[in-house]
Amino acid sequence: MSNPSEFLWYIPNQVEGGHRGDSSDGDPSSLETLTRHATALEEHGWTGALIGTSWGRPDTFTVATALAARTKTFEPLIAIRPGYWRPANFAAAAATLDELTGGRVRINIVSGQDNLAAYGDSEGDQAHRYGRTRDFMRLVRRLWTETNVTFESEHFRVAGSTVAPRITPRGPRLHPRLYFGGASEAAERVAATEADVQLFWGEPLDGVADRIARLKRLSRDLDRDLPPLEFGLRITTLVRDTSEEAWADAEAKVDAMAAKQNHVDEHRRAPAVGQQRLLDLHARGEVLDDNLYTAPGRYGGGGAGTTWLVGSAAEVASSLRKYRDLGITQFVLSDTPYLPEIRRQGDQLLPLLRDPPALAPDRVLQADRVG
């Protein structure tokens, strides 16, 4: 595989606790609480974490900046919406944070509908929304890599624009990578031409394989002019010491969700195409592939909480390696309670997933002779 695997977690970034069954004790949005998550990620082998966004949460970019200042290696995957930002303003903010942190910034572009009236947006229909996202990503990348940029489209225009500070190239990394999700035809066309990483939710292996093949075809058909698109998986991983313990805990969690169905995950309100694909999986069975649990989607689980990989560390690692064999290189995992699971899965799961170190040339020759 040409690109090494990377493993990130998820920081919920909520004003109130209890997100997907997480502990509601203390102050979940305090800098001290969030810093404990970020430093635990550093200490237990994770590259960084996705920090989610929606109207009514603490501002994601501000949270990411604060956590980057309190850590040394933690890489925030910052979810942002084109409707919240103008491209040049965002490009300058992200370039500044990237330079201050030594190149630790990653960006997740979110195009799904949010509370438009609350923040004064008019995203319009799907075609308009994804057209704007396409132009946003194209213009931001140009502002990061070019000077004196002039750009004009239906959605944005700049003239003679040069962002400061300039982003420092770091090896093959010329700028923060742009992650993107979405399963509609409009979303996939944007991903095929503009994204660096396409994120999938926890679909079965055959569904992910089909989507990877389709996106590769689209990249060719639409004359993608960027490096090859990478692929990522955002999924819940419920890991316990034994398979029996994992399934008992998974079923207990689903029973608790069923008992309080008055709570509905934000992803399930007017579900997008990708979310609906997940919700429809339960019709195929409660457990798909080896250990993909679909029952959470029946009782309020949305987004990455709709399907779970359940099992011992060895069993979940085996399933994740099968996704890696399909071409997934970016993994964004989580389970609740978030902080203890950062430690458990960092210590038990990640060592089973690390790419084997490359052999030095003399070792390769020796291995050939032995084999």
Side-chain angles (χ1 to χ4, degrees):
M1 184 165 294
S2 58
N3 296 306
S5 302
E6 294 187 302
F7 298 93
L8 292 85
W9 193 251
Y10 171 75
I11 291 179
N13 187 29
Q14 301 281 329
V15 173
E16 298 180 357
H19 181 68
R20 291 184 180 149
D22 194 30
S23 170
S24 58
D25 298 334
D27 184 353
S29 63
S30 72
L31 184 55
E32 288 68 28
T33 297
L34 295 169
T35 299
R36 282 197 293 273
H37 286 240
T39 54
L41 288 161
E42 288 187 319
E43 292 164 359
H44 293 272
W46 302 90
T47 299
L50 169 65
I51 306 176
T53 185
S54 63
W55 189 255
R57 297 192 194 193
D59 177 69
T60 310
F61 202 92
T62 305
V63 169
T65 300
L67 295 182
R70 285 198 163 197
T71 53
K72 292 183 174 125
T73 63
F74 170 76
E75 299 189 17
L77 175 52
I78 308 168
I80 68 105
R81 291 176 180 272
Y84 292 3
W85 293 84
R86 300 293 295 177
N89 173 225
F90 171 74
T96 301
L97 183 57
D98 195 66
E99 193 65 16
L100 291 174
T101 60
R104 286 194 273 148
V105 171
R106 299 165 186 245
I107 302 297
N108 181 35
I109 304 290
V110 180
S111 287
Q113 292 198 49
D114 199 3
N115 188 350
L116 306 187
Y119 60 93
D121 191 22
S122 55
E123 288 180 341
D125 61 15
Q126 185 189 68
H128 181 276
R129 192 167 68 251
Y130 281 105
R132 182 175 69 177
T133 297
R134 180 194 61 239
D135 290 352
F136 185 94
M137 295 169 77
R138 174 66 51 154
L139 177 52
V140 164
R141 186 182 279 104
R142 286 192 60 192
L143 290 166
W144 281 341
T145 57
E146 302 175 24
T147 58
N148 197 34
V149 174
T150 295
F151 180 96
E152 184 170 348
S153 74
E154 175 188 354
H155 309 284
F156 306 113
R157 66 183 64 185
V158 298
S161 184
T162 299
V163 162
R166 304 305 300 161
I167 289 179
T168 301
R170 301 171 195 277
R173 180 193 185 272
L174 301 180
H175 56 75
R177 275 192 287 186
L178 296 176
Y179 293 65
F180 184 70
S184 67
E185 180 181 354
E188 289 191 338
R189 292 177 73 86
V190 172
T193 57
E194 306 302 333
D196 297 310
V197 180
Q198 165 75 33
L199 283 175
F200 304 124
W201 277 330
E203 294 189 43
L205 293 162
D206 58 357
V208 171
D210 288 346
R211 293 196 61 199
I212 288 174
R214 185 164 62 251
L215 283 161
K216 286 182 175 179
R217 286 195 302 272
L218 270 174
S219 294
R220 292 191 299 268
D221 294 345
L222 298 175
D223 295 324
R224 176 183 175 90
D225 58 1
L226 300 171
L229 182 62
E230 291 186 57
F231 304 100
L233 182 70
R234 169 74 185 100
I235 193 169
T236 295
T237 44
L238 195 152
V239 174
R240 298 293 185 268
D241 291 339
T242 67
S243 180
E244 292 76 15
E245 184 183 353
W247 281 105
D249 282 4
E251 290 166 0
K253 281 191 173 190
V254 168
D255 288 345
M257 292 166 61
K260 52 178 182 180
Q261 285 195 54
N262 58 317
H263 172 75
V264 178
D265 189 291
E266 65 188 41
H267 291 286
R268 294 171 62 97
R269 296 187 178 94
V273 172
Q275 177 63 67
Q276 192 61 55
R277 285 169 65 98
L278 293 186
L279 295 173
D280 292 343
L281 288 175
H282 191 264
R284 292 175 51 181
E286 193 163 273
V287 180
L288 303 178
D289 295 338
D290 297 322
N291 54 348
L292 184 68
Y293 192 32
T294 67
R298 295 180 62 193
Y299 301 110
T306 313
T307 57
W308 307 345
L309 286 176
V310 178
S312 66
E315 290 167 336
V316 173
S318 174
S319 296
L320 291 173
R321 283 194 293 268
K322 291 176 182 177
Y323 286 103
R324 184 165 60 185
D325 290 343
L326 296 178
I328 301 291
T329 60
Q330 305 291 309
F331 294 88
V332 184
L333 312 179
S334 67
D335 189 23
T336 57
Y338 290 108
L339 187 55
E341 289 304 316
I342 287 170
R343 299 175 181 129
R344 182 209 300 269
Q345 297 195 31
D347 295 346
Q348 296 181 12
L349 180 63
L350 291 191
L352 304 178
L353 293 167
R354 294 298 181 199
D355 293 315
L359 290 172
D362 59 333
R363 295 290 300 278
V364 173
L365 291 175
Q366 184 179 11
D368 287 343
R369 287 196 294 271
V370 172

